[in-house]
């Protein structure tokens, strides 16, 4: 498992492909494995001339990050998608809420935004807490 030893995980797959003269690699795995499968892709293609039916590390990184993914959709693919922002601490959440409150007051905000913790949080994982909100509601949430 890459959770225990990422290098051993990738080397075991490489060695099995080499030993069995595999021609294709189609990983079907949990998200944590997808990251390491993408890192292994180039090595399998270059060293063993395999066809790897998987994304490269750069795309995997984009898909793994909600903010990068939203930005990629909007800026690279020109696909209409929700606006995203990153807040890394409570003070940034407060500042972002103030900005959204101002946008709403000026008529420039057409919808609310969801404040979502990107780290696993057993308490807030299913919350759809929305900004802008009152300062007191935000303080209760934080």
């Amino acid at each position: 498992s890459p959770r225990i030893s990422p290098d051993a995980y990738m080397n075991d797959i490489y060695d099995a492909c080499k030993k069995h003269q595999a021609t294709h690699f189609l990983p079907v795995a949990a998200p944590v494995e997808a990251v390491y499968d993408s890192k292994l892709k180039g090595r399998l293609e270059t060293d063993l001339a395999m066809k790897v039916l998987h994304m490269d590390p750069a795309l995997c990184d984009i898909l793994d990050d909600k903010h990068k993914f939203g930005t990629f959709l909007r800026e690279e693919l020109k696909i209409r998608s929700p606006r995203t922002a990153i807040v890394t601490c409570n003070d940034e959440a407060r500042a972002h809420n103030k900005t959204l409150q101002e946008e709403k007051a000026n008529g420039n905000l057409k919808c609310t935004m969801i404040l979502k913790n990107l780290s696993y949080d057993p308490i807030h994982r299913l919350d759809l807490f929305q900004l802008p909100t009152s300062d007191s509601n935000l303080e209760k949430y934080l």
Side-chain angles (χ1 to χ4, degrees):
S1 166
R3 289 179 182 98
I4 298 167
S5 176
D7 289 334
Y9 172 82
M10 291 186 289
N11 288 334
D12 286 350
I13 291 172
Y14 181 90
D15 292 344
C17 290
K18 185 174 181 176
K19 177 181 177 181
H20 297 286
Q21 299 177 343
T23 58
H24 291 75
F25 178 58
L26 173 61
V28 181
V32 70
E33 281 97 4
V35 171
Y36 297 101
D37 293 340
S38 74
K39 290 179 180 183
L40 181 59
K41 177 181 176 157
R43 188 172 165 210
L44 293 175
E45 291 174 336
T46 303
D47 294 359
L48 303 179
M50 292 178 62
K51 298 284 185 196
V52 178
L53 307 169
H54 194 55
M55 67 197 98
D56 62 23
L59 181 57
C60 190
D61 183 53
I62 290 168
L63 297 176
D64 253 6
D65 183 306
K66 289 174 177 64
H67 179 64
K68 286 180 186 176
F69 181 61
T71 301
F72 177 75
L73 290 176
R74 282 188 312 283
E75 295 177 7
E76 300 296 322
L77 300 181
K78 308 298 183 205
I79 294 173
R80 190 171 164 223
S81 61
R83 185 171 95 185
T84 62
I86 294 177
V87 293
T88 59
C89 64
N90 290 349
D91 286 340
E92 286 181 9
R94 291 178 188 102
H96 195 62
N97 189 48
K98 288 279 187 221
T99 300
L100 294 174
Q101 286 171 339
E102 291 168 9
E103 287 182 23
K104 184 176 180 181
N106 294 333
N108 295 327
L109 185 66
K110 301 196 183 336
C111 59
T112 58
M113 295 184 76
I114 297 171
L115 183 61
K116 188 75 177 156
N117 190 336
L118 297 182
S119 299
Y120 180 75
D121 181 340
I123 296 170
H124 295 299
R125 70 184 180 88
L126 299 177
D127 287 356
L128 295 177
F129 188 81
Q130 297 181 24
L131 300 178
T133 189
S134 69
D135 293 344
S136 62
N137 280 345
L138 181 58
E139 288 306 316
K140 287 177 196 170
Y141 183 76
L142 297 174

